[in-house]
Amino acid sequence: MISDVSSNLHTFFVPQMEQLGMKEQPSRHGSLSMRDDEFGRGLLWAHSIGENCLYAFHEFSINEQTRLVEFPDDYVCVTSMTDCSARLCPVQSRYLRERNILSFRQKGGAVSFDLMPNEYHRSYTLCMTPNFFDELPGLTDSERETLVSYLCSCDTNTHSREIGDALESMGHSWAMSAGGACFCEGRMKEIVARLLDGAVKASNDDPREPSTEEKRLAREAQMMIDARYAENITLQSIANELFVGRTRLCEVFREQMGLCVAEYLRDVRMDEARKLLETTDMKAAEISRLVGYAHQSSFTDAFRRQFGITPTQWRESVDLQ
């Protein structure tokens, strides 16, 4: 129930519960609430890990536009969430994925945002108050400041996959489990340890390392290709959307990724084509269109250069296995 959650953490989830009409359900740990009717479907589990850290899982989709207004206290969070949820956060990223790992600071005060019909929102989030960092054991003041600064300055999708996996392992099924509180406390400590390790390493980076802007540029180009490889995109079109020169993008991408933009685009397209050949009965002409080639002949030539055989020969070799 709500009363089971530390009272100074209520501002992080109770307004959302109330405005979305979520009804509390029986739970062993924290507050578990649900809604499933013509307005929409949703589930929210909020569980306090100590007095100054809240873990919240939410998943919902609504059928009409709704404005949420909240008044949270000052907090820092690290979260794994869908693109629809990430767009509501105070972070900058042109290209988001189905799963995004990000961290940021939210200043206390009024926050409002619109939820649109049929958007799918899902998030796994640790919200930490300023007192949470003061109480971390074994750290110097400098290390605490380094950790907070790191969480407030990281670009979207720069945290390690292990952090996202740990966040997502604390799903709402633990609300009913006898070991739920112990499990979530352990995961929280693992996440903080990994974040602290990343923060210290980042603070010790060689100044000759690539700048944050270079890393952001390469990552956003990569994310654009990952999301839109089926379209007619080119080095020039990507550079135009990122407001950067073609030569500059090419140099930065090669430095960061180890290959040029065209090579990465081809690799993504060929990998998807290979999967479709192995798992579907679609003809090569259809697959060529799905992976971004206007002409089957160009697709066949690219596939042969990548794998040494034609798409038809690849499918035949798989069928023989």
Side-chain angles (χ1 to χ4, degrees), residues 223-252:
M223 293 172 67
M224 183 190 298
I225 293 171
D226 290 345
R228 296 166 52 188
Y229 62 85
E231 301 176 16
N232 182 29
I233 58 175
T234 63
L235 171 63
Q236 186 64 62
S237 67
I238 295 171
N240 290 344
E241 288 200 39
L242 295 178
F243 302 99
V244 66
R246 171 175 170 165
T247 301
R248 165 74 169 158
L249 175 60
C250 190
E251 291 175 350
V252 169

PDB file of all heavy atoms in Angstrom, residues 223-252:
ATOM      1  N   MET A 223      22.410   5.380 -34.118  1.00  0.00           N
ATOM      2  CA  MET A 223      21.015   5.134 -33.767  1.00  0.00           C
ATOM      3  C   MET A 223      20.087   5.418 -34.950  1.00  0.00           C
ATOM      4  O   MET A 223      19.083   4.726 -35.142  1.00  0.00           O
ATOM      5  CB  MET A 223      20.638   5.974 -32.553  1.00  0.00           C
ATOM      6  CG  MET A 223      21.361   5.558 -31.282  1.00  0.00           C
ATOM      7  SD  MET A 223      21.092   6.691 -29.896  1.00  0.00           S
ATOM      8  CE  MET A 223      19.344   6.419 -29.572  1.00  0.00           C
ATOM      9  N   MET A 224      20.423   6.447 -35.737  1.00  0.00           N
ATOM     10  CA  MET A 224      19.613   6.743 -36.915  1.00  0.00           C
ATOM     11  C   MET A 224      19.668   5.581 -37.900  1.00  0.00           C
ATOM     12  O   MET A 224      18.629   5.160 -38.446  1.00  0.00           O
ATOM     13  CB  MET A 224      20.107   8.028 -37.593  1.00  0.00           C
ATOM     14  CG  MET A 224      19.250   8.434 -38.795  1.00  0.00           C
ATOM     15  SD  MET A 224      19.991   9.777 -39.778  1.00  0.00           S
ATOM     16  CE  MET A 224      20.037  11.087 -38.570  1.00  0.00           C
ATOM     17  N   ILE A 225      20.843   5.023 -38.111  1.00  0.00           N
ATOM     18  CA  ILE A 225      20.974   3.884 -39.030  1.00  0.00           C
ATOM     19  C   ILE A 225      20.233   2.667 -38.487  1.00  0.00           C
ATOM     20  O   ILE A 225      19.519   1.985 -39.221  1.00  0.00           O
ATOM     21  CB  ILE A 225      22.461   3.561 -39.259  1.00  0.00           C
ATOM     22  CG1 ILE A 225      23.131   4.701 -40.027  1.00  0.00           C
ATOM     23  CG2 ILE A 225      22.622   2.242 -40.024  1.00  0.00           C
ATOM     24  CD1 ILE A 225      24.639   4.586 -40.104  1.00  0.00           C
ATOM     25  N   ASP A 226      20.399   2.387 -37.195  1.00  0.00           N
ATOM     26  CA  ASP A 226      19.725   1.238 -36.587  1.00  0.00           C
ATOM     27  C   ASP A 226      18.212   1.318 -36.738  1.00  0.00           C
ATOM     28  O   ASP A 226      17.536   0.304 -36.938  1.00  0.00           O
ATOM     29  CB  ASP A 226      20.078   1.135 -35.105  1.00  0.00           C
ATOM     30  CG  ASP A 226      21.520   0.726 -34.862  1.00  0.00           C
ATOM     31  OD1 ASP A 226      22.165   0.249 -35.822  1.00  0.00           O
ATOM     32  OD2 ASP A 226      22.004   0.888 -33.730  1.00  0.00           O
ATOM     33  N   ALA A 227      17.671   2.525 -36.625  1.00  0.00           N
ATOM     34  CA  ALA A 227      16.221   2.698 -36.673  1.00  0.00           C
ATOM     35  C   ALA A 227      15.685   2.836 -38.095  1.00  0.00           C
ATOM     36  O   ALA A 227      14.518   2.487 -38.354  1.00  0.00           O
ATOM     37  CB  ALA A 227      15.824   3.925 -35.858  1.00  0.00           C
ATOM     38  N   ARG A 228      16.520   3.298 -39.047  1.00  0.00           N
ATOM     39  CA  ARG A 228      15.974   3.663 -40.356  1.00  0.00           C
ATOM     40  C   ARG A 228      16.758   3.074 -41.522  1.00  0.00           C
ATOM     41  O   ARG A 228      16.761   3.624 -42.615  1.00  0.00           O
ATOM     42  CB  ARG A 228      15.944   5.199 -40.461  1.00  0.00           C
ATOM     43  CG  ARG A 228      15.009   5.842 -39.448  1.00  0.00           C
ATOM     44  CD  ARG A 228      15.222   7.336 -39.321  1.00  0.00           C
ATOM     45  NE  ARG A 228      15.183   8.030 -40.584  1.00  0.00           N
ATOM     46  CZ  ARG A 228      15.505   9.318 -40.747  1.00  0.00           C
ATOM     47  NH1 ARG A 228      15.902  10.034 -39.717  1.00  0.00           N
ATOM     48  NH2 ARG A 228      15.437   9.876 -41.930  1.00  0.00           N
ATOM     49  N   TYR A 229      17.408   1.938 -41.298  1.00  0.00           N
ATOM     50  CA  TYR A 229      18.205   1.323 -42.361  1.00  0.00           C
ATOM     51  C   TYR A 229      17.367   0.945 -43.578  1.00  0.00           C
ATOM     52  O   TYR A 229      17.883   0.817 -44.690  1.00  0.00           O
ATOM     53  CB  TYR A 229      18.923   0.077 -41.832  1.00  0.00           C
ATOM     54  CG  TYR A 229      18.000  -1.009 -41.363  1.00  0.00           C
ATOM     55  CD1 TYR A 229      17.468  -1.941 -42.246  1.00  0.00           C
ATOM     56  CD2 TYR A 229      17.641  -1.103 -40.027  1.00  0.00           C
ATOM     57  CE1 TYR A 229      16.601  -2.923 -41.820  1.00  0.00           C
ATOM     58  CE2 TYR A 229      16.783  -2.096 -39.589  1.00  0.00           C
ATOM     59  CZ  TYR A 229      16.267  -2.998 -40.489  1.00  0.00           C
ATOM     60  OH  TYR A 229      15.404  -3.973 -40.057  1.00  0.00           O
ATOM     61  N   ALA A 230      16.042   0.751 -43.380  1.00  0.00           N
ATOM     62  CA  ALA A 230      15.177   0.368 -44.496  1.00  0.00           C
ATOM     63  C   ALA A 230      14.856   1.551 -45.410  1.00  0.00           C
ATOM     64  O   ALA A 230      14.322   1.359 -46.500  1.00  0.00           O
ATOM     65  CB  ALA A 230      13.884  -0.246 -43.971  1.00  0.00           C
ATOM     66  N   GLU A 231      15.189   2.758 -44.979  1.00  0.00           N
ATOM     67  CA  GLU A 231      14.912   3.939 -45.780  1.00  0.00           C
ATOM     68  C   GLU A 231      16.095   4.246 -46.702  1.00  0.00           C
ATOM     69  O   GLU A 231      17.165   3.659 -46.594  1.00  0.00           O
ATOM     70  CB  GLU A 231      14.641   5.137 -44.863  1.00  0.00           C
ATOM     71  CG  GLU A 231      13.473   4.926 -43.913  1.00  0.00           C
ATOM     72  CD  GLU A 231      13.312   6.099 -42.960  1.00  0.00           C
ATOM     73  OE1 GLU A 231      13.889   7.177 -43.229  1.00  0.00           O
ATOM     74  OE2 GLU A 231      12.630   5.925 -41.935  1.00  0.00           O
ATOM     75  N   ASN A 232      15.886   5.205 -47.581  1.00  0.00           N
ATOM     76  CA  ASN A 232      16.937   5.611 -48.505  1.00  0.00           C
ATOM     77  C   ASN A 232      17.833   6.638 -47.830  1.00  0.00           C
ATOM     78  O   ASN A 232      17.830   7.831 -48.165  1.00  0.00           O
ATOM     79  CB  ASN A 232      16.313   6.188 -49.782  1.00  0.00           C
ATOM     80  CG  ASN A 232      17.367   6.585 -50.805  1.00  0.00           C
ATOM     81  OD1 ASN A 232      18.450   5.994 -50.847  1.00  0.00           O
ATOM     82  ND2 ASN A 232      17.053   7.574 -51.622  1.00  0.00           N
ATOM     83  N   ILE A 233      18.604   6.180 -46.835  1.00  0.00           N
ATOM     84  CA  ILE A 233      19.480   7.100 -46.126  1.00  0.00           C
ATOM     85  C   ILE A 233      20.912   6.947 -46.634  1.00  0.00           C
ATOM     86  O   ILE A 233      21.339   5.872 -47.043  1.00  0.00           O
ATOM     87  CB  ILE A 233      19.433   6.891 -44.600  1.00  0.00           C
ATOM     88  CG1 ILE A 233      19.808   5.460 -44.219  1.00  0.00           C
ATOM     89  CG2 ILE A 233      18.066   7.240 -44.056  1.00  0.00           C
ATOM     90  CD1 ILE A 233      19.887   5.252 -42.718  1.00  0.00           C
ATOM     91  N   THR A 234      21.648   8.040 -46.576  1.00  0.00           N
ATOM     92  CA  THR A 234      23.029   8.077 -47.057  1.00  0.00           C
ATOM     93  C   THR A 234      23.865   8.876 -46.067  1.00  0.00           C
ATOM     94  O   THR A 234      23.330   9.520 -45.146  1.00  0.00           O
ATOM     95  CB  THR A 234      23.119   8.751 -48.429  1.00  0.00           C
ATOM     96  OG1 THR A 234      22.698  10.131 -48.298  1.00  0.00           O
ATOM     97  CG2 THR A 234      22.232   8.053 -49.453  1.00  0.00           C
ATOM     98  N   LEU A 235      25.156   8.855 -46.249  1.00  0.00           N
ATOM     99  CA  LEU A 235      26.042   9.667 -45.429  1.00  0.00           C
ATOM    100  C   LEU A 235      25.618  11.123 -45.470  1.00  0.00           C
ATOM    101  O   LEU A 235      25.551  11.798 -44.441  1.00  0.00           O
ATOM    102  CB  LEU A 235      27.486   9.519 -45.923  1.00  0.00           C
ATOM    103  CG  LEU A 235      28.517  10.467 -45.313  1.00  0.00           C
ATOM    104  CD1 LEU A 235      28.641  10.235 -43.817  1.00  0.00           C
ATOM    105  CD2 LEU A 235      29.875  10.293 -46.014  1.00  0.00           C
ATOM    106  N   GLN A 236      25.280  11.623 -46.662  1.00  0.00           N
ATOM    107  CA  GLN A 236      24.897  13.023 -46.796  1.00  0.00           C
ATOM    108  C   GLN A 236      23.590  13.325 -46.067  1.00  0.00           C
ATOM    109  O   GLN A 236      23.468  14.347 -45.384  1.00  0.00           O
ATOM    110  CB  GLN A 236      24.764  13.401 -48.277  1.00  0.00           C
ATOM    111  CG  GLN A 236      24.505  14.886 -48.507  1.00  0.00           C
ATOM    112  CD  GLN A 236      25.664  15.742 -48.041  1.00  0.00           C
ATOM    113  OE1 GLN A 236      26.769  15.642 -48.528  1.00  0.00           O
ATOM    114  NE2 GLN A 236      25.414  16.605 -47.051  1.00  0.00           N
ATOM    115  N   SER A 237      22.592  12.454 -46.201  1.00  0.00           N
ATOM    116  CA  SER A 237      21.307  12.716 -45.556  1.00  0.00           C
ATOM    117  C   SER A 237      21.434  12.663 -44.038  1.00  0.00           C
ATOM    118  O   SER A 237      20.791  13.435 -43.316  1.00  0.00           O
ATOM    119  CB  SER A 237      20.243  11.714 -46.033  1.00  0.00           C
ATOM    120  OG  SER A 237      20.532  10.398 -45.599  1.00  0.00           O
ATOM    121  N   ILE A 238      22.266  11.760 -43.527  1.00  0.00           N
ATOM    122  CA  ILE A 238      22.492  11.686 -42.084  1.00  0.00           C
ATOM    123  C   ILE A 238      23.191  12.952 -41.610  1.00  0.00           C
ATOM    124  O   ILE A 238      22.813  13.543 -40.584  1.00  0.00           O
ATOM    125  CB  ILE A 238      23.328  10.434 -41.732  1.00  0.00           C
ATOM    126  CG1 ILE A 238      22.533   9.164 -42.058  1.00  0.00           C
ATOM    127  CG2 ILE A 238      23.717  10.448 -40.253  1.00  0.00           C
ATOM    128  CD1 ILE A 238      23.342   7.889 -41.944  1.00  0.00           C
ATOM    129  N   ALA A 239      24.208  13.381 -42.324  1.00  0.00           N
ATOM    130  CA  ALA A 239      24.927  14.600 -41.961  1.00  0.00           C
ATOM    131  C   ALA A 239      23.994  15.806 -41.959  1.00  0.00           C
ATOM    132  O   ALA A 239      24.066  16.660 -41.061  1.00  0.00           O
ATOM    133  CB  ALA A 239      26.083  14.832 -42.930  1.00  0.00           C
ATOM    134  N   ASN A 240      23.101  15.875 -42.929  1.00  0.00           N
ATOM    135  CA  ASN A 240      22.156  16.992 -42.994  1.00  0.00           C
ATOM    136  C   ASN A 240      21.258  17.027 -41.762  1.00  0.00           C
ATOM    137  O   ASN A 240      21.004  18.095 -41.184  1.00  0.00           O
ATOM    138  CB  ASN A 240      21.290  16.887 -44.257  1.00  0.00           C
ATOM    139  CG  ASN A 240      22.072  17.153 -45.522  1.00  0.00           C
ATOM    140  OD1 ASN A 240      23.177  17.707 -45.489  1.00  0.00           O
ATOM    141  ND2 ASN A 240      21.520  16.758 -46.657  1.00  0.00           N
ATOM    142  N   GLU A 241      20.751  15.866 -41.339  1.00  0.00           N
ATOM    143  CA  GLU A 241      19.840  15.813 -40.193  1.00  0.00           C
ATOM    144  C   GLU A 241      20.560  16.120 -38.885  1.00  0.00           C
ATOM    145  O   GLU A 241      19.944  16.610 -37.930  1.00  0.00           O
ATOM    146  CB  GLU A 241      19.163  14.451 -40.106  1.00  0.00           C
ATOM    147  CG  GLU A 241      18.118  14.222 -41.181  1.00  0.00           C
ATOM    148  CD  GLU A 241      17.140  13.116 -40.808  1.00  0.00           C
ATOM    149  OE1 GLU A 241      16.767  13.036 -39.631  1.00  0.00           O
ATOM    150  OE2 GLU A 241      16.765  12.349 -41.706  1.00  0.00           O
ATOM    151  N   LEU A 242      21.848  15.817 -38.837  1.00  0.00           N
ATOM    152  CA  LEU A 242      22.611  16.078 -37.620  1.00  0.00           C
ATOM    153  C   LEU A 242      23.303  17.443 -37.650  1.00  0.00           C
ATOM    154  O   LEU A 242      24.037  17.784 -36.722  1.00  0.00           O
ATOM    155  CB  LEU A 242      23.657  14.971 -37.416  1.00  0.00           C
ATOM    156  CG  LEU A 242      23.093  13.572 -37.157  1.00  0.00           C
ATOM    157  CD1 LEU A 242      24.216  12.559 -37.027  1.00  0.00           C
ATOM    158  CD2 LEU A 242      22.222  13.560 -35.903  1.00  0.00           C
ATOM    159  N   PHE A 243      23.062  18.215 -38.704  1.00  0.00           N
ATOM    160  CA  PHE A 243      23.605  19.566 -38.838  1.00  0.00           C
ATOM    161  C   PHE A 243      25.134  19.573 -38.715  1.00  0.00           C
ATOM    162  O   PHE A 243      25.723  20.347 -37.958  1.00  0.00           O
ATOM    163  CB  PHE A 243      22.991  20.502 -37.791  1.00  0.00           C
ATOM    164  CG  PHE A 243      21.504  20.594 -37.868  1.00  0.00           C
ATOM    165  CD1 PHE A 243      20.715  19.861 -37.004  1.00  0.00           C
ATOM    166  CD2 PHE A 243      20.885  21.387 -38.818  1.00  0.00           C
ATOM    167  CE1 PHE A 243      19.324  19.930 -37.070  1.00  0.00           C
ATOM    168  CE2 PHE A 243      19.505  21.469 -38.897  1.00  0.00           C
ATOM    169  CZ  PHE A 243      18.723  20.730 -38.026  1.00  0.00           C
ATOM    170  N   VAL A 244      25.744  18.694 -39.484  1.00  0.00           N
ATOM    171  CA  VAL A 244      27.194  18.586 -39.469  1.00  0.00           C
ATOM    172  C   VAL A 244      27.671  18.318 -40.888  1.00  0.00           C
ATOM    173  O   VAL A 244      26.913  17.788 -41.716  1.00  0.00           O
ATOM    174  CB  VAL A 244      27.651  17.454 -38.514  1.00  0.00           C
ATOM    175  CG1 VAL A 244      27.204  16.104 -39.021  1.00  0.00           C
ATOM    176  CG2 VAL A 244      29.147  17.472 -38.285  1.00  0.00           C
ATOM    177  N   GLY A 245      28.900  18.684 -41.193  1.00  0.00           N
ATOM    178  CA  GLY A 245      29.433  18.431 -42.512  1.00  0.00           C
ATOM    179  C   GLY A 245      29.649  16.944 -42.764  1.00  0.00           C
ATOM    180  O   GLY A 245      29.941  16.179 -41.839  1.00  0.00           O
ATOM    181  N   ARG A 246      29.550  16.560 -44.020  1.00  0.00           N
ATOM    182  CA  ARG A 246      29.724  15.160 -44.391  1.00  0.00           C
ATOM    183  C   ARG A 246      31.114  14.647 -44.009  1.00  0.00           C
ATOM    184  O   ARG A 246      31.247  13.544 -43.470  1.00  0.00           O
ATOM    185  CB  ARG A 246      29.490  15.024 -45.899  1.00  0.00           C
ATOM    186  CG  ARG A 246      29.838  13.685 -46.486  1.00  0.00           C
ATOM    187  CD  ARG A 246      29.452  13.633 -47.948  1.00  0.00           C
ATOM    188  NE  ARG A 246      29.997  12.434 -48.584  1.00  0.00           N
ATOM    189  CZ  ARG A 246      29.587  11.985 -49.756  1.00  0.00           C
ATOM    190  NH1 ARG A 246      28.654  12.628 -50.416  1.00  0.00           N
ATOM    191  NH2 ARG A 246      30.126  10.898 -50.269  1.00  0.00           N
ATOM    192  N   THR A 247      32.153  15.421 -44.281  1.00  0.00           N
ATOM    193  CA  THR A 247      33.520  14.995 -43.965  1.00  0.00           C
ATOM    194  C   THR A 247      33.704  14.851 -42.462  1.00  0.00           C
ATOM    195  O   THR A 247      34.314  13.888 -41.987  1.00  0.00           O
ATOM    196  CB  THR A 247      34.532  16.005 -44.522  1.00  0.00           C
ATOM    197  OG1 THR A 247      34.365  16.097 -45.940  1.00  0.00           O
ATOM    198  CG2 THR A 247      35.947  15.572 -44.209  1.00  0.00           C
ATOM    199  N   ARG A 248      33.176  15.800 -41.700  1.00  0.00           N
ATOM    200  CA  ARG A 248      33.282  15.758 -40.241  1.00  0.00           C
ATOM    201  C   ARG A 248      32.602  14.498 -39.692  1.00  0.00           C
ATOM    202  O   ARG A 248      33.171  13.788 -38.862  1.00  0.00           O
ATOM    203  CB  ARG A 248      32.628  17.005 -39.665  1.00  0.00           C
ATOM    204  CG  ARG A 248      32.329  16.983 -38.184  1.00  0.00           C
ATOM    205  CD  ARG A 248      33.553  17.144 -37.352  1.00  0.00           C
ATOM    206  NE  ARG A 248      33.194  17.377 -35.951  1.00  0.00           N
ATOM    207  CZ  ARG A 248      34.003  17.138 -34.938  1.00  0.00           C
ATOM    208  NH1 ARG A 248      35.216  16.678 -35.162  1.00  0.00           N
ATOM    209  NH2 ARG A 248      33.610  17.373 -33.708  1.00  0.00           N
ATOM    210  N   LEU A 249      31.390  14.209 -40.150  1.00  0.00           N
ATOM    211  CA  LEU A 249      30.669  13.026 -39.686  1.00  0.00           C
ATOM    212  C   LEU A 249      31.434  11.761 -40.022  1.00  0.00           C
ATOM    213  O   LEU A 249      31.561  10.851 -39.197  1.00  0.00           O
ATOM    214  CB  LEU A 249      29.274  12.974 -40.310  1.00  0.00           C
ATOM    215  CG  LEU A 249      28.450  11.723 -39.998  1.00  0.00           C
ATOM    216  CD1 LEU A 249      28.228  11.574 -38.495  1.00  0.00           C
ATOM    217  CD2 LEU A 249      27.112  11.761 -40.735  1.00  0.00           C
ATOM    218  N   CYS A 250      31.962  11.696 -41.231  1.00  0.00           N
ATOM    219  CA  CYS A 250      32.692  10.511 -41.670  1.00  0.00           C
ATOM    220  C   CYS A 250      33.914  10.264 -40.785  1.00  0.00           C
ATOM    221  O   CYS A 250      34.171   9.135 -40.341  1.00  0.00           O
ATOM    222  CB  CYS A 250      33.113  10.677 -43.123  1.00  0.00           C
ATOM    223  SG  CYS A 250      33.783   9.184 -43.876  1.00  0.00           S
ATOM    224  N   GLU A 251      34.644  11.316 -40.468  1.00  0.00           N
ATOM    225  CA  GLU A 251      35.856  11.191 -39.655  1.00  0.00           C
ATOM    226  C   GLU A 251      35.521  10.761 -38.236  1.00  0.00           C
ATOM    227  O   GLU A 251      36.146   9.857 -37.675  1.00  0.00           O
ATOM    228  CB  GLU A 251      36.608  12.518 -39.639  1.00  0.00           C
ATOM    229  CG  GLU A 251      37.229  12.898 -40.982  1.00  0.00           C
ATOM    230  CD  GLU A 251      37.866  14.276 -40.948  1.00  0.00           C
ATOM    231  OE1 GLU A 251      37.647  14.995 -39.941  1.00  0.00           O
ATOM    232  OE2 GLU A 251      38.571  14.628 -41.915  1.00  0.00           O
ATOM    233  N   VAL A 252      34.516  11.407 -37.630  1.00  0.00           N
ATOM    234  CA  VAL A 252      34.153  11.105 -36.251  1.00  0.00           C
ATOM    235  C   VAL A 252      33.593   9.685 -36.138  1.00  0.00           C
ATOM    236  O   VAL A 252      33.935   8.942 -35.213  1.00  0.00           O
ATOM    237  CB  VAL A 252      33.131  12.137 -35.727  1.00  0.00           C
ATOM    238  CG1 VAL A 252      32.534  11.686 -34.397  1.00  0.00           C
ATOM    239  CG2 VAL A 252      33.780  13.504 -35.582  1.00  0.00           C
TER     240      VAL A 252
END
